Amino acid sequence: MRLDVVTIFPEYLEPLNVSLVGKARARGQLDVRIHDLRDWAHDKHSTVDDTPYGGGPGMVMKPEPWGEALDEILASGEGAPVIVVPTPSGAPFTQQLAVELSAKPWLVFTPARYEGIDRRVIEEYGDRVDVREVSIGDYVLAGGEAPVLVMVEAVARLLPGVLGNAASHQDDSFAPGAMADLLEGPVYTKPPEWRGRGIPDVLVSGHHGKIARWRRDEAFRRTDRNRPDLIERADPAAFDKHDRAM
Ligand SMILES: N#Cc1c(-c2ccc3ccn(Cc4cccnc4)c3c2)n[nH]c1N
């Protein structure tokens, strides 16, 4: 997978050099290219913003630098990428969308700043390629770079061979399957006692069916407490199937 990111803060994307994404890049599983939008702003001050038509607070990102940058990037690769535009007014970024994007060969992320990008840029490239406007949550950030870090990690960990244990993402919260839409339950490791606190006996019982049922029940309990909205959405049939498989 190729990932391009166009930003006025390239240093903000340094975390893509470390940990899971950094290792995937080093192994050649990910081709990540970070671009400074100001390289396509040709005036003396490399200006990328201007005042909004119609008045109002803040500044808007000018279309010309984005147009030159995206034209050059799209011409530099094979096929058509999906352009992912982080924005507070976008569709929710979900595990389902992460799975969909992880199957694409090429993603171009366009994290903006100020009040966003001139709408005509989204329209221009929406006429040419698949453009997705996406929000990582119902809160307001100052720009799109942190959302790109979130989305790249969520997508990269789904790529074959990126996570050490192939099963690691199959039991994720929100992952499709028998535990679909349930939050993960509590996890424990050695030592068996810590500050007078032990671990649930079932986890050292060696009875895999009981362990799986306990984990499912704990997942239900945590979901009911923290995300009751997911309980309504969960498919009861999936749990029956899960239980039958135990
Ligand atoms: N994804 C995502 C986001 C953002 C986000 C993303 C990109 C930009 C670019 C500029 N801003 C600032 C801004 C612009 C307009 C109104 N309010 C704030 C951003 C915010 N905020 N919250 C999220 N969940």
Side-chain angles (χ1 to χ4, degrees):
M1 177 186 280
R2 175 178 168 177
L3 297 178
D4 289 84
V5 184
V6 184
T7 171
I8 60 171
F9 293 127
E11 65 278 17
Y12 206 112
L13 282 302
E14 284 296 312
L16 296 183
N17 293 317
V18 299
S19 186
L20 173 137
V21 174
K23 290 187 176 73
R25 292 175 75 176
R27 287 196 296 259
Q29 291 171 293
L30 270 178
D31 171 9
V32 179
R33 307 180 195 193
I34 310 298
H35 309 274
D36 188 339
L37 179 67
R38 295 191 193 276
D39 291 349
W40 288 279
H42 307 304
D43 65 298
K44 185 171 72 168
H45 300 294
S46 299
T47 307
V48 294
D49 63 307
D50 205 335
T51 54
Y53 276 123
M59 304 291 274
V60 175
M61 299 195 88
K62 294 169 58 62
E64 300 96 324
W66 283 103
E68 286 193 31
L70 291 174
D71 283 351
E72 184 172 321
I73 290 167
L74 267 55
S76 71
E78 290 178 15
V82 175
I83 295 180
V84 180
V85 183
T87 168
S89 54
F93 181 71
T94 61
Q95 188 66 16
Q96 183 179 345
L97 179 54
V99 169
E100 180 189 348
L101 294 178
S102 69
K104 304 294 183 184
W106 184 13
L107 304 177
V108 175
F109 291 90
T110 61
R113 285 274 155 172
Y114 307 103
E115 295 304 309
I117 302 173
D118 185 299
R119 186 68 197 166
R120 290 169 291 181
V121 175
I122 310 304
E123 292 169 355
E124 164 74 5
Y125 292 93
D127 289 344
R128 293 161 53 176
V129 299
D130 183 0
V131 174
R132 307 291 182 90
E133 295 181 270
V134 181
S135 168
I136 63 166
D138 294 337
Y139 37 80
V140 180
L141 302 170
E145 284 80 9
V148 169
L149 293 176
V150 166
M151 291 190 273
V152 167
E153 179 158 323
V155 168
R157 67 186 292 279
L158 296 171
L159 298 177
V162 169
L163 275 187
N165 169 0
S168 292
H169 62 72
Q170 284 157 2
D171 297 332
D172 278 351
S173 298
F174 309 108
M179 302 291 273
D181 289 343
L182 283 184
L183 304 179
E184 284 184 355
V187 290
Y188 298 84
T189 187
K190 293 183 282 298
E193 182 171 322
W194 176 72
R195 294 188 180 179
R197 299 174 189 276
I199 60 169
D201 292 337
V202 67
L203 295 181
V204 289
S205 68
H207 194 298
H208 297 295
K210 289 181 179 175
I211 291 171
R213 176 176 288 276
W214 179 87
R215 284 177 169 157
R216 201 258 349 241
D217 293 348
E218 288 300 309
F220 236 107
R221 193 170 292 123
R222 177 176 280 185
T223 307
D224 193 38
R225 181 171 64 245
N226 295 339
R227 286 293 303 276
D229 58 298
L230 295 178
I231 297 283
E232 280 84 55
R233 202 169 78 180
D235 171 11
F239 303 119
D240 294 343
K241 180 167 162 260
H242 180 74
D243 286 352
R244 283 198 302 274
M246 288 297 102

